[in-house]
Amino acid sequence: TTTAAPAVLSGVQVVGYVDKCLYAAANTAGQQLAIRTCDSKVASQRWQIYTDGTIRQDKLCMDLANGSSANGTRIQLAACNGNAAQQFLINSSYDMVNTVYGKCADVIDGNTANGAKVQLWDCNGAGHQKWMIRG
């Protein structure tokens, strides 16, 4: 585990497609991220944005499964280790981009249901790839 860089934002929601929040059903390594109706009281929808390019929930980082850059790679929680698979930024176009691979966090098939999973995909400007921070 790497030493945490300073948090730029703490306890924020990452809001995406159809005004649903990014969340992890369980705060465990390997848990794939999904979307769910936003609820400011739900801890699994609270994130910290760090100066080292990581987006964290407690001591776990947003991560690409197996460090893969392939389309369809699961976006999950994992122990923070500072590798390329954990570098994300929400840019001025509201794309949540892995800054090393240049691909976006994408709600699979544009699904709007609670529990719809999030994957890595080529950025294409679609609504199911748009994200923003809500304090």
Side-chain angles (χ1 to χ4, degrees):
T1 304
T2 60
T3 304
V8 176
L9 297 169
S10 186
V12 297
Q13 291 175 312
V14 177
V15 183
Y17 194 47
V18 295
D19 200 36
K20 293 200 175 177
C21 284
L22 186 68
Y23 87 107
N27 192 302
T28 57
Q31 179 67 53
Q32 187 171 4
L33 302 183
I35 59 170
R36 180 162 297 283
T37 302
C38 295
D39 183 341
S40 62
K41 297 176 187 134
V42 175
S44 64
Q45 293 181 2
R46 292 290 180 191
W47 299 89
Q48 297 81 41
I49 313 292
Y50 282 81
T51 58
D52 64 0
T54 58
I55 299 176
R56 302 180 186 204
Q57 193 170 87
D58 293 325
K59 296 179 181 175
L60 298 174
C61 283
M62 237 176 93
D63 176 87
L64 301 174
N66 301 312
S68 176
S69 64
N71 283 346
T73 297
R74 294 163 37 101
I75 298 180
Q76 63 183 9
L77 291 177
C80 297
N81 58 27
N83 71 28
Q86 296 181 348
Q87 303 297 305
F88 289 89
L89 168 73
I90 298 175
N91 67 23
S92 61
S93 297
Y94 302 101
D95 301 313
M96 185 167 18
V97 180
N98 175 278
T99 58
V100 176
Y101 301 130
K103 292 187 175 184
C104 285
D106 173 276
V107 179
I108 296 174
D109 296 329
N111 190 337
T112 61
N114 283 337
K117 304 294 186 197
V118 178
Q119 66 182 356
L120 187 71
W121 202 264
D122 290 326
C123 298
N124 59 29
H128 56 275
Q129 293 185 345
K130 300 299 181 183
W131 306 88
M132 59 182 255
I133 301 298
R134 182 183 294 158

